[in-house]
Amino acid sequence: MDWLTPALFGVVLGVVTGLVPGIHVNTLCALALAFAPTSPGMALVLAAAACAHLTTSLLPSTYLGVPGEEALLSALPSHRLSLRGRGPDAVRLGVQGSLVGLLAGVVLLLPHKWLVAEPGRFLAAVEAGTPWILALLLVALPLREALRGVRQFGAALLLGVLAGTLGLLSPRLSLEAWIDVPATALLPLLTGLFGAPALLESLHATQPLPEQAATRDGLRLHRAATMFGIASAAVTCLLPGVTSSAALALARWREDRHGRAYLSGQSAIAGAHLVFSFGLLWVALRPRTGLAVATASLWPAPAWTAGAPPASALPLLAACLAGGILGALATLGLDRLAAQWLPRVARPASVAALVGMTSLVAILAGWVGLALYVAATLVGLLPTRFGVGRLHLTSCLLVPVLAWRLGLGV
Amino acid sequence: MLDTGWPVRPPETHLAPWSGMVRTHHLVGLAVAALAVVAQLAQGQPPLVELRDAALWEGQEVAVEGVVRDLRRDAAGPSRFDLVANGAALATRIDGASVQDGDPVRVTGRLGRQGGALTLFAERLSATTTDEAVHNVPLSALAQRPEDWLDRAVRVEGVVERGWLRTDGHAVQLGDGAWPSSGTVDAAATLRYHAPCACYRLDRVQAWTG
């Protein structure tokens, strides 16, 4: 089939949405499931868009929402670099890491299948131990903050409880979209916890950015962090409710001056996780990401137990690679313009994105969804106030999955 | 990799008017209050939805009414059946319920996917009395367009004559249930397709008078 045309369309879509702050790949998937026709072509569009979005979204995340000096310690490494005038280095590192992660995921997909299914049967072992793994994560994340202080530990606990409660309550809500499409609680929940707060915080006063310039030799990928990122993506993609960032955060890479390890690992995880989650979908029919859920609906495939992969595999992987490579080129080409213009249009862009996001939640999840979105946004604003990472908000997924696995009837 | 090293001029900044207005403990209080609102909203009963609209509620807990069809019981597993109403059917599975084929029921559970098919994973099942789902229907409508009333509980009136219910020149064959051998009846029944005779029949009369 013609995979190139939908893939190119997806690249354009991914590049455009990647430049819009607050838009996540899952938002694209929710829109596609709600409005787009069910077809393999749409699955290819989403795959390419997701991979292009991986790199292009580095631009707003590097040059927008940069906090002031008082929040420097909790700022993202990319923001710390842009405050030093080296935002392009952060972008370049992210692009390199994402591409390496994507390529590694494609190359290692078959060995990953052997590990996960027959003969390794690693998935069965992971599923048997999932409650323990999730419980360990829920304990480890706040304990990690305890190393920074009691206040941070308390904040992490509080965030875990609040987000976990939201996660437990959201499936029990009766959501009715304003149009005739299925409503889902995940859209208001995740958009409220992660998307809207980032946009609201970007509206605050920020330190003016100095002139941005890449260093002559640039930052090179941190090899160990990149390999760890790829390996952890291969494992975390098997766990329901666990984001790949959790693994990276727990790794506690030595905080080098430039955040090179963090940036390398995070971007490699993102790229590899995307491909490995496709692999899990094909091998075990377990969609673990928004993109995998959308693909399962748009282009269903039988389980890949032996022999050739499903018919959808090769076109989707090709679309991923096309999206990743073309998205990377677009990102590097737009870097200079983004460094110059994004901070100038930060406020109107953030306001527009916020209005659009809120409208989308209302249309696709109704009034009850809006209430969930508001509650999630208020919780999502707390990490920055306490100076801890947003990672603790992932308990909105971990807690319900753990409760379900323990048979607690939620 | 491409070198994009270009120095760019920094933009000006503006102070946000609400910066610093909301203290952290106020924000925590607001978040907790909003959470309480969401908790209150989550206490409500699952909505009763039309079976044909079930796909719009995928992933959510709902209540659906219909008639049990094609009941299959596993020896040590859940019961599976198709819940049928108004020309639509929904695959349903439930643990340990005592239902019979043809029972009108209200099923509460979560809509999900099993094997790619929309499935109602039932948590509670209750019988609905035939009266709750009865439609007063003229016999002429049943006789002329039986497919519109298939598997639906209806209330009909007519005269029983040699295994048929007749009125105003229309007739519908009688099926299973406590039908009188003759006389006027005003009864609740379910119109079903009977494969051996390739015909539609009225089954399971709830009550009759006459």
Side-chain angles (χ1 to χ4, degrees):
Chain A
M1 68 176 291
D2 173 25
W3 63 269
L4 190 57
T5 306
L8 290 176
F9 182 73
V11 169
V12 173
L13 185 65
V15 168
V16 169
T17 57
L19 291 172
V20 178
I23 299 289
H24 191 270
V25 168
N26 289 340
T27 315
L28 281 180
C29 295
L31 285 170
L33 285 176
F35 299 112
T38 301
S39 69
M42 183 47 61
L44 290 170
V45 168
L46 281 182
C51 293
H53 190 99
L54 267 181
T55 50
T56 323
S57 59
L58 293 168
L59 297 174
S61 66
T62 300
Y63 300 118
L64 291 182
V66 181
E69 287 289 344
E70 71 281 358
L72 193 59
L73 283 177
S74 61
L76 295 171
S78 55
H79 287 163
R80 275 184 255 150
L81 278 171
S82 57
L83 280 172
R84 292 191 183 103
R86 296 179 57 191
D89 283 342
V91 171
R92 186 184 305 182
L93 258 184
V95 167
Q96 290 179 36
S98 298
L99 276 181
V100 169
L102 267 177
L103 286 167
V106 172
V107 169
L108 296 173
L109 193 63
L110 193 56
H112 186 248
K113 172 195 180 279
W114 293 332
L115 175 68
V116 163
E118 296 291 343
R121 308 186 77 185
F122 189 59
L123 177 62
V126 166
E127 291 198 326
T130 291
W132 291 104
I133 297 170
L134 296 182
L136 193 65
L137 266 176
L138 285 169
V139 169
L141 287 174
L143 277 181
R144 184 175 171 271
E145 296 292 348
L147 299 174
R148 294 174 55 203
V150 175
R151 185 173 182 268
Q152 284 79 5
F153 174 67
L157 272 183
L158 175 67
L159 289 172
V161 168
L162 291 176
T165 307
L166 275 176
L168 286 173
L169 290 174
S170 56
R172 306 197 69 83
L173 295 170
S174 295
L175 304 174
E176 194 169 1
W178 288 353
I179 55 178
D180 280 343
V181 296
T184 171
L186 279 181
L187 176 67
L189 179 67
L190 298 180
T191 308
L193 283 175
F194 299 101
L199 292 173
L200 285 169
E201 286 161 4
S202 71
L203 297 175
H204 286 174
T206 65
Q207 189 86 354
L209 288 180
E211 285 191 10
Q212 301 292 310
T215 55
R216 283 185 189 228
D217 53 359
L219 288 176
R220 293 173 185 267
L221 274 182
H222 191 288
R223 193 174 298 176
T226 303
M227 289 171 61
F228 178 83
I230 293 168
S232 63
V235 175
T236 55
C237 75
L238 307 179
L239 293 165
V242 177
T243 65
S244 48
S245 300
L248 183 64
L250 289 172
R252 272 189 65 80
W253 286 101
R254 182 173 55 87
E255 291 292 339
D256 60 309
R257 209 168 139 250
H258 307 294
R260 187 167 72 103
Y262 180 90
L263 288 170
S264 302
Q266 184 190 40
S267 51
I269 279 183
H273 193 270
L274 197 146
V275 178
F276 286 136
S277 62
F278 271 136
L280 184 67
L281 173 66
W282 295 324
V283 169
L285 302 180
R286 302 250 206 288
R288 292 273 193 259
T289 62
L291 179 62
V293 170
T295 303
S297 178
L298 295 169
W299 200 349
W304 181 19
T305 51
S312 57
L314 292 180
L316 280 169
L317 291 176
C320 284
L321 288 175
I325 293 169
L326 294 175
L329 291 173
T331 302
L332 293 173
L334 292 169
D335 186 24
R336 180 169 71 90
L337 279 174
Q340 185 170 8
W341 286 101
L342 278 180
R344 293 176 195 274
V345 301
R347 178 148 302 144
S350 296
V351 170
L354 199 56
V355 170
M357 185 183 296
T358 306
S359 304
L360 197 62
V361 167
I363 292 169
L364 295 183
W367 293 112
V368 177
L370 267 179
L372 176 62
Y373 171 70
V374 168
T377 301
L378 289 169
V379 173
L381 288 170
L382 293 175
T384 309
R385 290 301 186 104
F386 288 119
V388 298
R390 282 208 169 88
L391 193 59
H392 306 289
L393 301 177
T394 57
S395 60
C396 70
L397 298 173
L398 294 175
V399 170
V401 173
L402 179 60
W404 176 66
R405 286 297 178 103
L406 294 176
L408 294 179
V410 291
Chain B
M1 298 296 288
L2 297 178
D3 187 347
T4 61
W6 270 76
V8 290
R9 297 177 58 185
E12 296 179 0
T13 59
H14 303 273
L15 283 175
W18 56 82
S19 177
M21 278 173 57
V22 181
R23 294 182 184 273
T24 300
H25 60 272
H26 289 161
L27 193 55
V28 173
L30 281 173
V32 172
L35 205 103
V37 170
V38 171
Q40 190 59 33
L41 289 171
Q43 296 303 313
Q45 291 296 317
L48 179 65
V49 304
E50 289 286 335
L51 197 143
R52 61 173 174 265
D53 296 331
L56 295 178
W57 297 84
E58 183 175 348
Q60 299 191 58
E61 194 176 5
V62 297
V64 188
E65 286 184 347
V67 176
V68 174
R69 284 277 178 265
D70 295 328
L71 177 66
R72 289 99 61 197
R73 293 185 198 277
D74 297 335
S79 301
R80 302 165 196 268
F81 56 87
D82 292 333
L83 192 64
V84 176
N86 301 332
L90 177 64
T92 306
R93 53 178 286 166
I94 186 168
D95 291 324
S98 57
V99 288
Q100 303 295 327
D101 222 64
D103 286 348
V105 295
R106 174 181 291 196
V107 186
T108 303
R110 189 165 297 277
L111 283 164
R113 292 269 164 185
Q114 187 171 46
L118 187 68
T119 302
L120 180 60
F121 295 90
E123 296 161 10
R124 296 187 302 279
L125 185 147
S126 59
T128 58
T129 62
T130 310
D131 288 338
E132 287 187 15
V134 164
H135 302 265
N136 290 312
V137 181
L139 198 67
S140 56
L142 292 182
Q144 290 172 345
R145 293 191 62 82
E147 61 275 8
D148 290 347
W149 301 98
L150 189 62
D151 292 322
R152 293 171 72 174
V154 294
R155 193 163 202 92
V156 290
E157 192 177 335
V159 177
V160 175
E161 187 178 319
R162 290 198 293 269
W164 289 78
L165 187 67
R166 299 175 187 275
T167 186
D168 296 334
H170 299 281
V172 176
Q173 193 166 351
L174 296 176
D176 299 329
W179 293 104
S181 57
S182 63
T184 304
V185 294
D186 175 3
T190 305
L191 187 69
R192 294 202 178 104
Y193 181 76
H194 189 60
C197 67
C199 62
Y200 295 96
R201 306 193 320 177
L202 283 166
D203 287 342
R204 295 183 61 138
V205 170
Q206 175 81 356
W208 53 273
T209 60

